[in-house]
Amino acid sequence: MTRPTIGDIIAHDSLLFSRVSLQREVPKTKSIYNAIMDYYSHTEYSPSPAQIERNRWVFFGLLRCQPWMAIPAGILIQFCYGSVYAWSIFNSPINRTLADDPNRGRSEVTFYIALGVLGVTGAIFGPWIETSHPQKSGIIGMIVFFAGHITTALAIQVKMFSMLYFGYGFVAGIGLGIGYVSTIDAVSKWWPKARGTAAGCAVMGFGGGSLAFSYINKWLIDSFTLSTAFIVLGTINFSIMFVCIQFICPPPPGHNLDGIPVIETNTEINLTLGRAAKGSFPDRSQTAKIEEQQPRYMHVFGSERPVIHISLAEALKSHDFWLLYVAFLANIVFCLVILSNLPALINRLFGRESKTPKDPPLEAYVAVSIEGAFNMAGRIIVGFTSDMIGRKTTFIILLAVQIVALICIPITISSGNFWLFLILIWIATICYGGGFGMIPAFLSDMFGSSNTSSCHGVFLTAWSIASVCGGLVFTGIVNRYLSKGYKPYDTKMYHINFVWMMVVVVIGFVCCLFVRSSIRDRLFPALPHQIMRIRIFGRVLRVLWLPSDRIDDTASVADSVSMNQTAQSTSPLRHGLRRKRLHVELLTKEQEQVAWEEYLFLRAVQYQLLKESGNM
């Protein structure tokens, strides 16, 4: 009999991820639905041997490709795309030039359109970006982004808001979505063991661009006509990105694991039998020691490292994907709203428009610049932290910190404590930037490196929803109270806004708790009578509703109930009369490992029995 592999078992087990749906016969004539599902099911980049050889060289084939080159190139590319966050500098000049009433604020709509299109573009083009060479998608994004600037300059020249919305909002938004996703994910794939840090570095460039271009845009407006300023800005971005994109290329095949590991192997234990770690051959006692250390399932399967392959379509059907999506949206909504309203909040609550007008302790533009610096720092600090302590643990901390900040900020407003208010905003901004820096690595860990661009593209729609809807809700509440006669410095309208934002963050926190971030958590079958199982800070917490006579206070349920034990058969009447109690247990690492190894071993036995009975 052919020796079964763990991969065979995983594929056979009906409780696990399966690609059976992809193995069915494809109809000759594809419907639109089938075409879409096919597009979202194949996201692997498959270069030819000649292309693999070309990928070894960068900068027009003159330099040997090195992993570190992707980091500075990615930072500078994202720096240019980050200029979109400095759009507010253009609002007043554009409104004065194009609008009959400069106070109507029609230019501000352009920014919301650009962010909305960015998210939709990422979701639509994600699979194509994943299957394409990152330099190809990066160049297309760069060209489209430049075309948006040229169209914007033309719109200002002919004084048409509709062309402005189309040029910068729609065209530049498409280029931004393609370039943002392709660059970050290309950089992170070079560092599979430090994805959080690599992605955080690249995204840090985006935050740096938002900070630097506030001053660059102001200089352009003072030095050129408004239409010429956009041509110069587009040319600057295009030139920098054109040079940097020459250093972006995909890693060679095998650089990233083709799938998601099912087991975390210990290289000192799970060696191929007959060969020692340093290449020498062990003696009999060493071999015996290695065999003794191996779990039971490894005696059956050898040293194979099994993986699970998940298509994008399967990832999108997973409730873990959408729980993380909600958590990501909750993590960014607060600071996205504050980002555009912080100057108004400072002036109305603590400055010249407050109940007792005075100069604020810190000018609003300086506070915004410092906030941008914290945004940048959070992206790399949180990304690095997630590599150390885990993605889910880090994300839970980010959301918890924001909840505390949102509880305390209304108190600082009521007490007039300006500096504590500002410090809390800056701390929350670290969490905001950190979410962007960590999410590409989080998605890669959960659904595989071949789905990173695709999943990341879908997640960018949360960016669009949070910025557009969050901004509209905040402004709508403020305007409603102002129309009722409240003054801009009245705190009630701001307290209500902080309350709804805190509710959103709390919902995201709860969703994050239930995200099964590791493949082990998704493969674990439920125990009989289990109500809930979540992982908090690396430990498994289980809640069970057990009959009183089944609870043993001297031992953990993990020890007393087998992972695959079926419930004891009882008559419905007797079962209904038995008293039950809620049992909560926090598994130790050792208990979890024992249960996991038992699960793999039982799957091996199941597979062998099915093979012997001829049912496979």
Side-chain angles (χ1 to χ4, degrees), residues 48-58 61 63 65 133 249:
S48 65
Q51 182 63 59
I52 294 173
E53 183 59 32
R54 285 195 297 270
N55 288 342
R56 299 180 188 276
W57 301 88
V58 295
L63 299 175
C65 181
H133 194 290
C249 68

Side-chain angles (χ1 to χ4, degrees), residues 211 214-215 342 363-375 426:
L211 182 62
S214 298
Y215 300 96
L342 185 58
E363 289 295 337
Y365 76 91
V366 179
V368 172
S369 297
I370 296 175
E371 184 184 27
F374 277 101
N375 184 359
W426 290 338

Side-chain angles (χ1 to χ4, degrees), residues 136-213:
K136 174 183 177 181
S137 56
I139 289 175
I140 292 175
M142 171 188 68
I143 292 173
V144 176
F145 192 60
F146 176 70
H149 283 75
I150 301 301
T151 309
T152 302
L154 181 61
I156 293 172
Q157 195 68 31
V158 299
K159 297 185 178 182
M160 290 180 60
F161 266 109
S162 58
M163 185 178 289
L164 175 72
Y165 297 154
F166 174 78
Y168 200 91
F170 184 75
V171 178
I174 291 176
L176 179 62
I178 295 175
Y180 182 90
V181 173
S182 62
T183 305
I184 292 174
D185 297 330
V187 171
S188 64
K189 285 177 181 176
W190 275 105
W191 305 88
K193 294 183 179 180
R195 287 194 181 101
T197 304
C201 286
V203 181
M204 181 185 67
F206 196 90
S210 67
L211 182 62
F213 276 96

Side-chain angles (χ1 to χ4, degrees), residues 524-564:
F524 253 44
L527 284 174
H529 310 290
Q530 179 176 297
I531 298 174
M532 180 184 73
R533 182 186 71 235
I534 60 176
R535 184 181 295 274
I536 303 177
F537 299 113
R539 297 280 296 278
V540 174
L541 176 70
R542 286 200 296 216
V543 180
L544 302 100
W545 188 245
L546 292 176
S548 298
D549 58 357
R550 289 283 303 282
I551 297 178
D552 181 3
D553 293 331
T554 64
S556 166
V557 175
D559 298 324
S560 59
V561 182
S562 168
M563 284 294 297
N564 295 275

Side-chain angles (χ1 to χ4, degrees), residues 309-559:
H309 296 273
I310 304 174
S311 71
L312 177 62
E314 292 166 334
L316 294 177
K317 294 176 184 177
S318 166
H319 71 267
D320 297 293
F321 181 93
W322 296 108
L323 286 172
L324 183 59
Y325 181 94
V326 173
F328 176 67
L329 188 150
N331 183 68
I332 63 178
V333 67
F334 170 48
C335 282
L336 274 174
V337 173
I338 294 300
L339 206 63
S340 56
N341 290 284
L342 185 58
L345 288 173
I346 291 175
N347 286 323
R348 291 177 178 181
L349 299 173
F350 305 98
R352 299 175 184 89
E353 299 178 28
S354 63
K355 192 172 184 179
T356 56
K358 58 183 180 297
D359 290 334
L362 186 69
E363 289 295 337
Y365 76 91
V366 179
V368 172
S369 297
I370 296 175
E371 184 184 27
F374 277 101
N375 184 359
M376 288 176 56
R379 295 171 187 241
I380 187 169
I381 291 172
V382 173
F384 175 78
T385 303
S386 72
D387 287 333
M388 299 296 104
I389 66 175
R391 318 289 182 208
K392 181 175 176 178
T393 300
T394 305
F395 219 94
I396 288 174
I397 293 173
L398 298 184
L399 292 165
V401 169
Q402 290 200 60
I403 291 172
V404 173
L406 281 163
I407 292 173
C408 296
I409 285 174
I411 300 175
T412 64
I413 291 175
S414 299
S415 63
N417 193 326
F418 172 79
W419 287 109
L420 184 56
F421 165 81
L422 211 52
I423 289 171
L424 289 171
I425 294 291
W426 290 338
I427 291 174
T429 302
I430 293 176
C431 301
Y432 163 79
F436 278 105
M438 185 180 67
I439 204 64
F442 205 160
L443 292 169
S444 181
D445 291 349
M446 287 183 63
F447 303 109
S449 59
S450 63
N451 287 322
T452 306
S453 297
S454 309
C455 292
H456 193 192
V458 175
F459 262 61
L460 290 185
T461 60
W463 190 0
S464 304
I465 293 171
S467 59
V468 176
C469 296
L472 292 176
V473 171
F474 184 93
T475 304
I477 291 174
V478 171
N479 289 339
R480 181 181 179 184
Y481 275 89
L482 292 176
S483 66
K484 290 182 178 181
Y486 284 79
K487 302 299 180 183
Y489 51 75
D490 287 326
T491 60
K492 184 175 181 180
M493 64 187 86
Y494 306 113
H495 286 173
I496 292 175
N497 269 308
F498 287 124
V499 167
W500 74 255
M501 284 188 280
M502 185 176 67
V503 170
V504 172
V505 178
V506 169
I507 292 173
F509 180 84
V510 174
C511 289
C512 192
L513 289 178
F514 287 92
V515 172
R516 298 175 300 175
S517 57
S518 70
I519 201 70
R520 173 185 293 194
D521 289 338
R522 282 175 270 170
L523 300 186
F524 253 44
L527 284 174
H529 310 290
Q530 179 176 297
I531 298 174
M532 180 184 73
R533 182 186 71 235
I534 60 176
R535 184 181 295 274
I536 303 177
F537 299 113
R539 297 280 296 278
V540 174
L541 176 70
R542 286 200 296 216
V543 180
L544 302 100
W545 188 245
L546 292 176
S548 298
D549 58 357
R550 289 283 303 282
I551 297 178
D552 181 3
D553 293 331
T554 64
S556 166
V557 175
D559 298 324

